[in-house]
Amino acid sequence: MRVTQNMLSNNMLRNVSNSFQRMGKYQDQLSTGKKISRPSDDPVVAMKGMTYRTSLNQVEQYRRNLSEAYNWMDAADSSLDKATSVLQRVRDLTVQASNGTYEEGQQGMIQKEITQLKEHLASIGNTQVAGKYIFNGNDTKNKPIDLNGSTPTPTDKDPIMLKLSDGINLASNNVNVSTNQNAVEFELSDGIKIPVNINPTNVFSKQLFKDMEDLEAALQNGAPDLDQFLTKIDNHISGIGSERSELGARYNRIELMDSRLSEQEVISSKILSDNEDADIERVITDLKMQESVHRAALAVGSRIIQPSLMDFLR
């Protein structure tokens, strides 16, 4: 086959062009740190990368859900601890007032402190996390406890009469308390949803505030028998303890799931990196080799171009 000058020139241009493409590929890998820059570079790597990335994104979303679950449960546990302290103080005051040595005026001072503690207990029951009420079931937008009873339910309209002693009856229980017991669940793993709230009716119940109001009324009217309130307060403290125990058990499970998700995140990141990330040392070596090949191709190209008449006339 006769090799013409035009064939040599075209081959040289094609080889130099291919050399530029290979250098461009190595430049892309060094710039992005990835083996491929488009799915057509390696469809298998691209398909696996989509699968691994989806798995990693799920794990990261579960970890964000875990962070919010921690916020809810930490806030709930802290609030229950404060509620327990308040009820313990109420119990101490009730014991003091029931020993029979306090005068009516002194019992009135205790009654004022009981009132303040009741209001503080209501503020604890209205605790919010990120603008959401955590003790109102799945109704997180509305306040669960209203001491003024501004939005009474139909059953709240009729006050309950408390008989303190012969001839002394007092209206009580004007507090409006939500009875929403629905759970707030977060998905913390594939198909696994964990409730992050407690059953508020076992802690901040209507009966709790009724008992507090009854105690206030008894102290205000100098009722002689206050021992009955000690049993009621103990029952409320026991109810808070039960809810804290259940909350703690769920918290321990969430910590185990958190540890497992941390390991899954590391494994998923490693698999994704092995599939997509470029071997930088190898890419740099290949680039240096390609540069040498490219220079040789240019040198050969400059020799095969036929000298023109002008080269001899200079």
Side-chain angles (χ1 to χ4, degrees):
M1 182 180 69
R2 178 174 176 270
V3 178
T4 65
Q5 179 62 38
N6 190 39
M7 292 173 63
L8 291 174
S9 299
N10 290 336
N11 287 338
M12 183 203 70
L13 290 175
R14 185 177 67 254
N15 292 329
V16 170
S17 177
N18 292 335
S19 178
F20 268 123
Q21 288 182 2
R22 286 191 287 272
M23 292 181 67
K25 175 185 174 183
Y26 297 138
Q27 184 184 29
D28 289 341
Q29 291 180 345
L30 289 175
S31 299
T32 63
K34 301 296 182 181
K35 292 178 183 177
I36 62 174
S37 57
R38 60 184 68 86
S40 58
D41 292 340
D42 193 330
V44 175
V45 171
M47 185 183 66
K48 288 183 177 178
M50 291 175 63
T51 304
Y52 297 149
R53 189 170 286 104
T54 299
S55 176
L56 181 60
N57 288 338
Q58 285 182 340
V59 172
E60 290 175 347
Q61 181 57 52
Y62 290 144
R63 297 213 67 190
R64 286 192 287 271
N65 292 349
L66 271 172
S67 177
E68 191 168 356
Y70 280 134
N71 289 338
W72 272 70
M73 300 181 82
D74 286 339
D77 184 67
S78 175
S79 299
L80 293 179
D81 181 62
K82 297 295 183 296
T84 302
S85 299
V86 170
L87 287 179
Q88 288 287 1
R89 177 59 181 164
V90 172
R91 191 183 193 285
D92 292 342
L93 293 173
T94 304
V95 171
Q96 292 179 21
S98 62
N99 62 17
T101 60
Y102 282 77
E103 299 176 355
E104 184 176 348
Q106 292 174 314
Q107 285 196 347
M109 296 300 294
I110 293 177
Q111 178 261 324
K112 292 180 181 178
E113 184 171 352
I114 294 291
T115 301
Q116 294 299 317
L117 292 174
K118 181 190 67 177
E119 293 177 357
H120 184 54
L121 205 57
S123 68
I124 294 174
N126 290 329
T127 298
Q128 291 178 284
V129 172
K132 297 179 181 178
Y133 292 99
I134 63 174
F135 295 120
N136 195 18
N138 59 355
D139 183 10
T140 59
K141 295 182 179 178
N142 297 311
K143 187 166 61 173
I145 301 171
D146 184 3
L147 289 181
N148 297 323
S150 57
T151 55
T153 59
T155 56
D156 297 329
K157 291 181 178 178
D158 300 326
I160 299 174
M161 303 305 292
L162 172 67
K163 184 175 182 179
L164 298 175
S165 61
D166 293 339
I168 300 178
N169 294 324
L170 292 176
S172 180
N173 202 20
N174 293 320
V175 181
N176 186 22
V177 180
S178 172
T179 57
N180 191 326
Q181 305 178 30
N182 295 325
V184 176
E185 296 181 332
F186 288 175
E187 185 171 3
L188 303 179
S189 187
D190 189 16
I192 300 178
K193 295 182 179 179
I194 304 293
V196 297
N197 61 340
I198 66 167
N199 184 349
T201 60
N202 292 334
V203 180
F204 303 103
S205 63
K206 192 176 184 65
Q207 185 63 43
L208 169 65
F209 292 97
K210 175 180 179 301
D211 291 340
M212 295 279 288
E213 288 187 345
D214 291 348
L215 178 59
E216 289 180 75
L219 291 170
Q220 187 176 9
N221 291 279
D225 184 16
L226 298 177
D227 292 340
Q228 56 175 321
F229 293 103
L230 295 177
T231 303
K232 295 178 180 178
I233 294 171
D234 289 341
N235 290 336
H236 291 304
I237 294 175
S238 177
I240 294 176
S242 298
E243 286 298 324
R244 287 192 74 185
S245 298
E246 184 178 345
L247 185 68
R250 274 184 274 142
Y251 195 94
N252 290 337
R253 182 183 176 186
I254 287 179
E255 285 184 326
L256 293 175
M257 296 177 70
D258 188 8
S259 176
R260 181 185 172 196
L261 286 175
S262 298
E263 294 176 359
Q264 286 183 343
E265 186 176 22
V266 173
I267 294 172
S268 297
S269 299
K270 182 178 182 301
I271 293 175
L272 184 63
S273 176
D274 292 343
N275 181 67
E276 292 185 349
D277 291 351
D279 185 349
I280 300 300
E281 292 82 359
R282 181 174 179 176
V283 174
I284 292 175
T285 302
D286 291 343
L287 177 62
K288 289 296 184 183
M289 291 179 61
Q290 189 59 40
E291 285 178 351
S292 300
V293 172
H294 188 71
R295 287 196 186 94
L298 292 176
V300 171
S302 65
R303 290 178 182 276
I304 64 174
I305 295 176
Q306 197 173 40
S308 65
L309 179 61
M310 293 300 296
D311 294 321
F312 294 100
L313 296 178
R314 285 175 183 171

